[in-house]
């Protein structure tokens, strides 16, 4: 199959544009939740009496004409109504546009599925898309984002407030013609669900059914999320104990998408047991999106199969074990990171030698930090957890900066090491030729020619292979039988398809063997030459292991999006820490840089779709960017 996200793949681009718009809508919802006009809450008796005839829920539609007549006949009500409209029309319009965008989103999703079923996208079917890695990801994200919008709306915008805002927009704004959605359809989708402090019966499944979506598509999404590692995260978290962390993002998507198929939650116990064991064995408070968290024990209480399966992991003994392990991990990791953060510990040399061990430490830190829910049980204080976050962020930043420098200088460093190795071997060859004095070294043509050939192999590292027959004759005619087995080991490697690092390993072994067989240990200068040459060759091997994959893995394991809201709870600790130790701001800078990187995931699809050129979602995306840039200052949304 051709690249699903290629510019000429209309099917892939359609889904990508849809998903990018979905991320922008979610960003706008999370932005606006902090700017709901207080007057719409009618919290005080005075407000309720004053605005009762101006701010109304959907009961208005039953008496619309009579009510409008009542306002027109009262000068006081007319003045109050006009004043209210002038003061709030801008924010009301913005709320309506994002509500309307949710309806447009699901309408476009259903329209895409219909076109796919009708064969409008040549060579593409629902089955073929789900066999493609990018296609599978986007199709799962499309359903997940719609479900997420519904949950966010009902969590942060109560049903009564939604109805009041929609009625205000209906009263104050003429119907627009530049949209696929009419206000009646938006009102039907977002009418009050009855969810306040207590869940109504069949919530949220009835809410999710207000606009039906093809059941086959839902089955495909849930099936892939259940069985596949759709983002390939297991390779980044190789240890079995980290599996739930590796699949955390996918688990959140599955949680949302299961509400589109509530029968699984209610009655399919075996399926739910499989899901719990794979995705939720030790994480019961999950982040759905940028710090928006839910507690599985509460949310799955009404669902028999889900509750029964989850209870198996919520045994007190199980929770205490996880809590105890968490407390132990925090103290150990604090000691380890404190040692690594000592000045001069993390250098180019240490990263070349121990990058895997340091990556493992950072992985363990990032797995441990988010386990805030077990702090009380583990007897680990919040300050210790925050210190671990500081150390983790600072160590990540230091490692990334040093490793990026290594990556940028990789080719240059390789050539320098190769030149030094080559010069050293040539010099040894000249020494054994008898033409270059080195404290009573006897002439030895065999070693002279052998070192010369070895030096050529170093010089041509990464180059093509020498024909076996020519090389064998060229060397075996001039060396002793003692060196033939060394030559054979080199030839057996060189004639294969192995890379430069394996070739260098063979050269190092050959140098060690020739030193041993020819009893060169008696001359310290020769030993030093050989030792330095082997050191250069070892460094060349480490140089070949400098790969961009390491930085990518560090970025993945360092994701802090789950703490987008949680970080606010550390404000008091931050302020006190800076007062007591001003140098703490250095580590705080690392934390904020780490937190900022959390935006890369939700903005990935927007950037891939180059949505700045797409008129339907340009305003929403602009709002999402304002959301990210103005989050900390709590400025006006307009």
């Amino acid at each position: 199959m051709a690249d699903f996200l290629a510019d000429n793949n209309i099917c892939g681009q359609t889904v990508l544009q849809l998903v990018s718009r979905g991320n922008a809508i979610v960003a706008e919802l999370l932005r606006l939740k902090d700017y709901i006009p207080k007057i719409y809450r009618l919290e005080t008796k005075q407000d309720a009496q004053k605005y009762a005839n101006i701010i109304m829920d959907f009961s208005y539609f039953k008496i619309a004409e009579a009510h409008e007549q009542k306002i027109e006949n009262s000068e006081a009500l007319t003045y109050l109504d006009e004043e209210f409209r002038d003061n709030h029309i801008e924010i009301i319009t913005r709320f309506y546009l994002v509500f309307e965008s949710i309806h447009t989103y699901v309408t476009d999703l259903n329209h895409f599925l219909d076109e796919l079923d009708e064969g409008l996208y040549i060579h593409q079917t629902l089955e073929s898309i789900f066999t493609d890695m990018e296609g599978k990801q986007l199709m799962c994200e499309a359903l997940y984002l719609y479900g997420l919008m519904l949950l966010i709306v009902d969590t942060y915008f109560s049903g009564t407030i939604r109805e009041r805002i929609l009625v205000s927009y209906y009263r104050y704004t003429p119907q627009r013609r530049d949209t696929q959605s009419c206000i009646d359809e938006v009102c039907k989708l977002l009418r009050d669900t009855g969810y306040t402090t207590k869940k109504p019966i069949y919530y949220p499944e009835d809410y999710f059914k207000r606009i039906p979506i093809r059941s086959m598509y839902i089955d495909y999404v849930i099936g892939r999320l259940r069985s596949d590692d759709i983002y390939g995260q297991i390779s980044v978290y190789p240890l079995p104990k980290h599996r739930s962390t590796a699949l955390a993002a996918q688990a959140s998507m599955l949680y949302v998408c299961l509400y589109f198929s509530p029968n699984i939650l209610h009655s399919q116990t075996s399926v739910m047991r499989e899901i719990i064991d794979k995705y939720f064995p030790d994480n019961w408070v999950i982040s759905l999106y940028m710090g928006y968290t839910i507690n599985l024990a509460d949310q799955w209480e009404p669902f028999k199969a889900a509750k029964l399966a989850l209870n198996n992991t919520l045994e007190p003994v199980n929770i205490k074990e996880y809590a105890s392990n968490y407390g132990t991990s925090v103290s150990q990791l604090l000691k380890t990171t404190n040692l690594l953060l000592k000045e001069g510990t993390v250098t180019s040399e240490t990263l070349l030698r121990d990058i895997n061990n340091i990556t493992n430490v950072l992985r363990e830190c990032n797995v441990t930090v988010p386990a805030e829910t077990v702090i009380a049980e583990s007897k680990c204080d919040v300050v210790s957890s925050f210190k671990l976050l500081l150390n983790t962020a600072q160590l990540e930043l230091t490692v990334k900066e040093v490793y990026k420098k290594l990556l940028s200088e990789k080719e240059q460093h390789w050539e320098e090491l190769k030149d030094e190795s080559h010069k050293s071997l040539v010099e040894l060859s000249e020494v054994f030729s008898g033409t270059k004095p080195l404290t009573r070294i006897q002439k030895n043509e065999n070693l002279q020619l052998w070192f010369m050939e070895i030096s050529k192999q170093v010089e041509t590292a990464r180059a093509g292979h020498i024909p076996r027959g020519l090389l064998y004759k060229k060397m075996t005619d001039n060396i002793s039988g003692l060196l033939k087995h060394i030559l054979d080991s080199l030839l057996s490697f060189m004639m294969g398809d192995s890379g430069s690092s394996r070739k260098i390993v063979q050269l190092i072994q050959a140098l060690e063997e020739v030193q041993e067989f020819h009893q060169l240990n008696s001359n310290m200068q020769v030993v030093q030459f050989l030792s330095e040459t082997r050191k250069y060759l070892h460094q060349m091997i480490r140089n070949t292991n400098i790969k961009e994959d390491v930085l990518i893995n560090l970025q993945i394991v360092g994701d802090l999006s789950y703490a987008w809201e949680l970080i606010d709870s550390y404000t008091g600790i931050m302020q006190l820490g800076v007062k007591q130790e001003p140098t703490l701001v250095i580590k705080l800078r690392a934390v904020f840089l780490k937190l900022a990187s959390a935006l890369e995931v939700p903005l990935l699809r927007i950037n891939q779709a180059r949505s700045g050129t797409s008129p339907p979602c340009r305003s929403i995306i602009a709002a999402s960017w304002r959301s990210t840039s103005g989050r900390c200052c709590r400025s006006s949304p307009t």
Side-chain angles (χ1 to χ4, degrees), residues 579-611:
K579 288 179 182 178
Q580 296 176 346
E581 186 182 351
T583 56
L584 184 66
V585 297
I586 297 174
K587 290 185 177 180
L588 286 177
R589 170 180 173 269
V591 171
F592 293 132
L593 288 174
K594 180 179 174 69
L595 188 65
S597 66
L599 293 172
E600 294 179 6
V601 174
L603 290 176
L604 173 64
R605 300 305 185 189
I606 293 175
N607 292 332
Q608 283 181 326
R610 298 186 290 276
S611 294

Side-chain angles (χ1 to χ4, degrees), residues 216-313:
M216 182 176 290
Y217 165 59
I218 293 171
D219 291 342
Y220 265 109
V221 169
I222 294 177
R224 291 301 185 185
L225 289 174
R226 275 178 53 196
S227 61
D228 298 355
D229 175 16
I230 66 173
Y231 294 104
Q233 295 292 287
I234 295 295
S235 61
V236 183
Y237 294 88
L239 293 179
K241 67 177 182 177
H242 295 160
R243 185 175 63 176
S244 60
T245 302
L247 299 175
Q250 190 168 321
S252 299
M253 295 171 66
L254 181 57
Y255 166 83
V256 173
C257 293
L258 281 172
Y259 286 127
F260 290 101
S261 184
N263 180 55
I264 297 175
L265 293 166
H266 280 296
S267 59
Q268 297 188 26
T269 306
S270 60
V271 174
M272 285 308 304
R273 181 62 184 269
E274 172 200 328
I275 291 172
I276 296 297
D277 290 345
K278 182 176 181 179
Y279 294 100
F280 308 108
D282 57 358
N283 60 325
W284 310 289
V285 177
I286 62 174
S287 173
L288 297 185
Y289 192 95
M290 297 297 289
Y292 169 43
T293 59
I294 58 93
N295 189 322
L296 288 178
D298 294 336
Q299 299 301 319
W300 281 351
E301 177 68 26
F303 302 97
K304 183 179 178 180
K307 179 182 177 182
L308 184 63
L310 186 63
N311 285 342
N312 292 324
T313 67

Side-chain angles (χ1 to χ4, degrees), residues 22 50 79 105 116 124 259 299 306 341 351 419 496 558 562:
K50 181 177 181 180
Y79 176 79
Y105 178 90
L116 192 63
Q124 296 283 8
Y259 286 127
Q299 299 301 319
L341 286 172
L351 286 188
D419 290 344
Y562 62 85

